[in-house]
């Protein structure tokens, strides 16, 4: 996962909450590919939660 300091830096640079959500999701995806992180089902569930939030 992205360290909090990195996320704070991105926020200071003008990244929106949606941008940060996307970066966290991408980080989870790559950690599952290379580091045995989240399962496919967990990633799909997380994406669906984000997609529902982004539609609002």
């Amino acid at each position: 996962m992205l360290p909090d300091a990195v996320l704070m830096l991105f926020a200071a640079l003008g990244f929106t909450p949606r941008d940060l959500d996307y970066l966290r999701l991408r980080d989870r995806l790559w950690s599952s590919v290379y580091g045995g992180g989240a399962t496919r089902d967990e990633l799909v569930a997380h994406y669906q939660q984000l997609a529902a939030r982004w539609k609002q």
Side-chain angles (χ1 to χ4, degrees):
M1 298 294 287
L2 291 171
D4 290 338
V6 172
L7 294 173
M8 290 182 356
L9 173 64
F10 287 158
L13 291 173
F15 284 61
T16 66
R18 184 175 175 167
D19 294 332
L20 297 176
D21 285 343
Y22 169 76
L23 290 172
R24 285 187 198 102
L25 176 64
R26 194 182 81 178
D27 188 53
R28 282 187 84 181
L29 173 67
W30 282 111
S31 69
S32 73
V33 170
Y34 290 108
T39 66
R40 180 186 182 277
D41 292 336
E42 291 170 333
L43 291 170
V44 168
H46 186 70
Y47 172 78
Q48 289 171 341
Q49 289 174 348
L50 291 176
R53 185 181 341 165
W54 293 343
K55 284 183 180 180
Q56 295 177 357

PDB file of all heavy atoms in Angstrom, residues 2-6 11 13 17 20 23 28 30 33 35 37 44 49-50 52 54:
ATOM      1  N   LEU A   2       0.323   2.300  -0.537  1.00  0.00           N
ATOM      2  CA  LEU A   2       1.062   3.560  -0.567  1.00  0.00           C
ATOM      3  C   LEU A   2       1.180   4.129   0.841  1.00  0.00           C
ATOM      4  O   LEU A   2       0.195   4.170   1.580  1.00  0.00           O
ATOM      5  CB  LEU A   2       0.345   4.575  -1.455  1.00  0.00           C
ATOM      6  CG  LEU A   2       0.336   4.290  -2.951  1.00  0.00           C
ATOM      7  CD1 LEU A   2      -0.587   5.266  -3.662  1.00  0.00           C
ATOM      8  CD2 LEU A   2       1.718   4.373  -3.520  1.00  0.00           C
ATOM      9  N   PRO A   3       2.365   4.567   1.225  1.00  0.00           N
ATOM     10  CA  PRO A   3       2.528   5.171   2.553  1.00  0.00           C
ATOM     11  C   PRO A   3       1.700   6.462   2.671  1.00  0.00           C
ATOM     12  O   PRO A   3       1.471   7.167   1.689  1.00  0.00           O
ATOM     13  CB  PRO A   3       4.022   5.475   2.616  1.00  0.00           C
ATOM     14  CG  PRO A   3       4.662   4.667   1.550  1.00  0.00           C
ATOM     15  CD  PRO A   3       3.622   4.459   0.500  1.00  0.00           C
ATOM     16  N   ASP A   4       1.270   6.748   3.891  1.00  0.00           N
ATOM     17  CA  ASP A   4       0.470   7.949   4.134  1.00  0.00           C
ATOM     18  C   ASP A   4       1.198   9.215   3.705  1.00  0.00           C
ATOM     19  O   ASP A   4       0.570  10.142   3.199  1.00  0.00           O
ATOM     20  CB  ASP A   4       0.078   8.051   5.605  1.00  0.00           C
ATOM     21  CG  ASP A   4      -0.934   6.993   6.011  1.00  0.00           C
ATOM     22  OD1 ASP A   4      -1.636   6.467   5.119  1.00  0.00           O
ATOM     23  OD2 ASP A   4      -1.034   6.708   7.202  1.00  0.00           O
ATOM     24  N   ALA A   5       2.508   9.263   3.876  1.00  0.00           N
ATOM     25  CA  ALA A   5       3.272  10.459   3.494  1.00  0.00           C
ATOM     26  C   ALA A   5       3.179  10.701   1.990  1.00  0.00           C
ATOM     27  O   ALA A   5       3.069  11.850   1.548  1.00  0.00           O
ATOM     28  CB  ALA A   5       4.727  10.306   3.913  1.00  0.00           C
ATOM     29  N   VAL A   6       3.188   9.627   1.209  1.00  0.00           N
ATOM     30  CA  VAL A   6       3.070   9.764  -0.245  1.00  0.00           C
ATOM     31  C   VAL A   6       1.679  10.275  -0.605  1.00  0.00           C
ATOM     32  O   VAL A   6       1.520  11.171  -1.447  1.00  0.00           O
ATOM     33  CB  VAL A   6       3.363   8.420  -0.946  1.00  0.00           C
ATOM     34  CG1 VAL A   6       3.060   8.487  -2.435  1.00  0.00           C
ATOM     35  CG2 VAL A   6       4.809   8.002  -0.708  1.00  0.00           C
ATOM     36  N   ALA A  11      -1.934  14.689  -2.364  1.00  0.00           N
ATOM     37  CA  ALA A  11      -3.042  15.590  -2.051  1.00  0.00           C
ATOM     38  C   ALA A  11      -2.577  17.043  -2.109  1.00  0.00           C
ATOM     39  O   ALA A  11      -3.282  17.912  -2.630  1.00  0.00           O
ATOM     40  CB  ALA A  11      -3.622  15.265  -0.682  1.00  0.00           C
ATOM     41  N   LEU A  13      -0.303  18.179  -3.965  1.00  0.00           N
ATOM     42  CA  LEU A  13      -0.046  18.515  -5.365  1.00  0.00           C
ATOM     43  C   LEU A  13      -1.327  18.708  -6.170  1.00  0.00           C
ATOM     44  O   LEU A  13      -1.270  18.988  -7.358  1.00  0.00           O
ATOM     45  CB  LEU A  13       0.810  17.418  -6.017  1.00  0.00           C
ATOM     46  CG  LEU A  13       2.248  17.330  -5.519  1.00  0.00           C
ATOM     47  CD1 LEU A  13       2.933  16.106  -6.098  1.00  0.00           C
ATOM     48  CD2 LEU A  13       3.016  18.599  -5.869  1.00  0.00           C
ATOM     49  N   PRO A  17      -9.647  13.393  -4.352  1.00  0.00           N
ATOM     50  CA  PRO A  17      -9.887  12.137  -3.626  1.00  0.00           C
ATOM     51  C   PRO A  17     -10.082  10.950  -4.575  1.00  0.00           C
ATOM     52  O   PRO A  17      -9.646   9.840  -4.283  1.00  0.00           O
ATOM     53  CB  PRO A  17     -11.157  12.431  -2.828  1.00  0.00           C
ATOM     54  CG  PRO A  17     -11.105  13.902  -2.594  1.00  0.00           C
ATOM     55  CD  PRO A  17     -10.521  14.465  -3.868  1.00  0.00           C
ATOM     56  N   LEU A  20      -6.715   9.752  -5.682  1.00  0.00           N
ATOM     57  CA  LEU A  20      -6.070   8.989  -4.612  1.00  0.00           C
ATOM     58  C   LEU A  20      -6.677   7.595  -4.483  1.00  0.00           C
ATOM     59  O   LEU A  20      -5.959   6.614  -4.264  1.00  0.00           O
ATOM     60  CB  LEU A  20      -6.152   9.744  -3.292  1.00  0.00           C
ATOM     61  CG  LEU A  20      -5.421  11.089  -3.262  1.00  0.00           C
ATOM     62  CD1 LEU A  20      -5.663  11.794  -1.938  1.00  0.00           C
ATOM     63  CD2 LEU A  20      -3.948  10.922  -3.528  1.00  0.00           C
ATOM     64  N   LEU A  23      -5.194   5.535  -7.223  1.00  0.00           N
ATOM     65  CA  LEU A  23      -3.815   5.140  -6.928  1.00  0.00           C
ATOM     66  C   LEU A  23      -3.759   4.018  -5.897  1.00  0.00           C
ATOM     67  O   LEU A  23      -2.951   3.086  -6.014  1.00  0.00           O
ATOM     68  CB  LEU A  23      -3.007   6.341  -6.443  1.00  0.00           C
ATOM     69  CG  LEU A  23      -2.708   7.396  -7.506  1.00  0.00           C
ATOM     70  CD1 LEU A  23      -2.080   8.624  -6.859  1.00  0.00           C
ATOM     71  CD2 LEU A  23      -1.816   6.831  -8.593  1.00  0.00           C
ATOM     72  N   ARG A  28      -2.934  -1.731  -4.830  1.00  0.00           N
ATOM     73  CA  ARG A  28      -3.419  -3.044  -4.369  1.00  0.00           C
ATOM     74  C   ARG A  28      -3.342  -4.076  -5.479  1.00  0.00           C
ATOM     75  O   ARG A  28      -2.997  -5.231  -5.242  1.00  0.00           O
ATOM     76  CB  ARG A  28      -4.862  -2.958  -3.886  1.00  0.00           C
ATOM     77  CG  ARG A  28      -5.030  -2.365  -2.521  1.00  0.00           C
ATOM     78  CD  ARG A  28      -6.435  -2.477  -2.046  1.00  0.00           C
ATOM     79  NE  ARG A  28      -6.633  -3.799  -1.457  1.00  0.00           N
ATOM     80  CZ  ARG A  28      -7.777  -4.210  -0.971  1.00  0.00           C
ATOM     81  NH1 ARG A  28      -8.834  -3.434  -1.001  1.00  0.00           N
ATOM     82  NH2 ARG A  28      -7.892  -5.401  -0.455  1.00  0.00           N
ATOM     83  N   TRP A  30      -1.273  -4.162  -8.139  1.00  0.00           N
ATOM     84  CA  TRP A  30       0.111  -4.570  -8.404  1.00  0.00           C
ATOM     85  C   TRP A  30       0.685  -5.363  -7.234  1.00  0.00           C
ATOM     86  O   TRP A  30       1.487  -6.278  -7.451  1.00  0.00           O
ATOM     87  CB  TRP A  30       0.976  -3.368  -8.745  1.00  0.00           C
ATOM     88  CG  TRP A  30       0.727  -2.943 -10.160  1.00  0.00           C
ATOM     89  CD1 TRP A  30       0.118  -1.799 -10.564  1.00  0.00           C
ATOM     90  CD2 TRP A  30       1.054  -3.669 -11.345  1.00  0.00           C
ATOM     91  NE1 TRP A  30       0.041  -1.767 -11.941  1.00  0.00           N
ATOM     92  CE2 TRP A  30       0.611  -2.908 -12.441  1.00  0.00           C
ATOM     93  CE3 TRP A  30       1.668  -4.890 -11.594  1.00  0.00           C
ATOM     94  CZ2 TRP A  30       0.771  -3.326 -13.751  1.00  0.00           C
ATOM     95  CZ3 TRP A  30       1.825  -5.312 -12.907  1.00  0.00           C
ATOM     96  CH2 TRP A  30       1.379  -4.535 -13.960  1.00  0.00           C
ATOM     97  N   VAL A  33      -0.311  -8.847  -7.712  1.00  0.00           N
ATOM     98  CA  VAL A  33       0.396  -9.520  -8.802  1.00  0.00           C
ATOM     99  C   VAL A  33       1.791  -9.945  -8.345  1.00  0.00           C
ATOM    100  O   VAL A  33       2.216 -11.070  -8.572  1.00  0.00           O
ATOM    101  CB  VAL A  33       0.494  -8.597 -10.039  1.00  0.00           C
ATOM    102  CG1 VAL A  33       1.434  -9.175 -11.084  1.00  0.00           C
ATOM    103  CG2 VAL A  33      -0.890  -8.337 -10.631  1.00  0.00           C
ATOM    104  N   GLY A  35       3.235  -9.432  -5.029  1.00  0.00           N
ATOM    105  CA  GLY A  35       3.526  -9.736  -3.639  1.00  0.00           C
ATOM    106  C   GLY A  35       2.532 -10.653  -2.963  1.00  0.00           C
ATOM    107  O   GLY A  35       2.552 -10.798  -1.752  1.00  0.00           O
ATOM    108  N   GLY A  37      -0.734 -10.208  -2.636  1.00  0.00           N
ATOM    109  CA  GLY A  37      -1.667  -9.380  -1.868  1.00  0.00           C
ATOM    110  C   GLY A  37      -3.098  -9.871  -1.976  1.00  0.00           C
ATOM    111  O   GLY A  37      -3.382 -11.053  -1.819  1.00  0.00           O
ATOM    112  N   VAL A  44     -12.079  -7.082  -6.940  1.00  0.00           N
ATOM    113  CA  VAL A  44     -13.346  -6.776  -7.611  1.00  0.00           C
ATOM    114  C   VAL A  44     -14.291  -6.082  -6.641  1.00  0.00           C
ATOM    115  O   VAL A  44     -14.935  -5.086  -6.993  1.00  0.00           O
ATOM    116  CB  VAL A  44     -13.984  -8.057  -8.195  1.00  0.00           C
ATOM    117  CG1 VAL A  44     -15.413  -7.815  -8.640  1.00  0.00           C
ATOM    118  CG2 VAL A  44     -13.147  -8.579  -9.356  1.00  0.00           C
ATOM    119  N   GLN A  49     -16.976  -1.017  -4.886  1.00  0.00           N
ATOM    120  CA  GLN A  49     -17.234   0.011  -3.867  1.00  0.00           C
ATOM    121  C   GLN A  49     -16.806   1.373  -4.380  1.00  0.00           C
ATOM    122  O   GLN A  49     -17.531   2.364  -4.222  1.00  0.00           O
ATOM    123  CB  GLN A  49     -16.493  -0.318  -2.578  1.00  0.00           C
ATOM    124  CG  GLN A  49     -17.042  -1.485  -1.814  1.00  0.00           C
ATOM    125  CD  GLN A  49     -16.166  -1.842  -0.613  1.00  0.00           C
ATOM    126  OE1 GLN A  49     -15.045  -1.352  -0.482  1.00  0.00           O
ATOM    127  NE2 GLN A  49     -16.682  -2.689   0.255  1.00  0.00           N
ATOM    128  N   LEU A  50     -15.632   1.441  -4.992  1.00  0.00           N
ATOM    129  CA  LEU A  50     -15.138   2.711  -5.514  1.00  0.00           C
ATOM    130  C   LEU A  50     -16.013   3.205  -6.655  1.00  0.00           C
ATOM    131  O   LEU A  50     -16.327   4.403  -6.731  1.00  0.00           O
ATOM    132  CB  LEU A  50     -13.689   2.585  -5.983  1.00  0.00           C
ATOM    133  CG  LEU A  50     -12.652   2.380  -4.897  1.00  0.00           C
ATOM    134  CD1 LEU A  50     -11.284   2.171  -5.526  1.00  0.00           C
ATOM    135  CD2 LEU A  50     -12.621   3.558  -3.941  1.00  0.00           C
ATOM    136  N   ALA A  52     -19.149   2.687  -7.157  1.00  0.00           N
ATOM    137  CA  ALA A  52     -20.401   3.205  -6.598  1.00  0.00           C
ATOM    138  C   ALA A  52     -20.181   4.588  -5.988  1.00  0.00           C
ATOM    139  O   ALA A  52     -21.010   5.484  -6.137  1.00  0.00           O
ATOM    140  CB  ALA A  52     -20.945   2.235  -5.559  1.00  0.00           C
ATOM    141  N   TRP A  54     -17.815   6.744  -6.860  1.00  0.00           N
ATOM    142  CA  TRP A  54     -17.479   7.690  -7.927  1.00  0.00           C
ATOM    143  C   TRP A  54     -18.708   8.131  -8.714  1.00  0.00           C
ATOM    144  O   TRP A  54     -18.711   9.207  -9.295  1.00  0.00           O
ATOM    145  CB  TRP A  54     -16.464   7.089  -8.877  1.00  0.00           C
ATOM    146  CG  TRP A  54     -15.111   6.851  -8.266  1.00  0.00           C
ATOM    147  CD1 TRP A  54     -14.624   7.390  -7.102  1.00  0.00           C
ATOM    148  CD2 TRP A  54     -14.089   5.998  -8.759  1.00  0.00           C
ATOM    149  NE1 TRP A  54     -13.351   6.929  -6.865  1.00  0.00           N
ATOM    150  CE2 TRP A  54     -12.993   6.070  -7.865  1.00  0.00           C
ATOM    151  CE3 TRP A  54     -13.979   5.170  -9.883  1.00  0.00           C
ATOM    152  CZ2 TRP A  54     -11.824   5.364  -8.066  1.00  0.00           C
ATOM    153  CZ3 TRP A  54     -12.804   4.475 -10.081  1.00  0.00           C
ATOM    154  CH2 TRP A  54     -11.747   4.563  -9.170  1.00  0.00           C
TER     155      TRP A  54
END
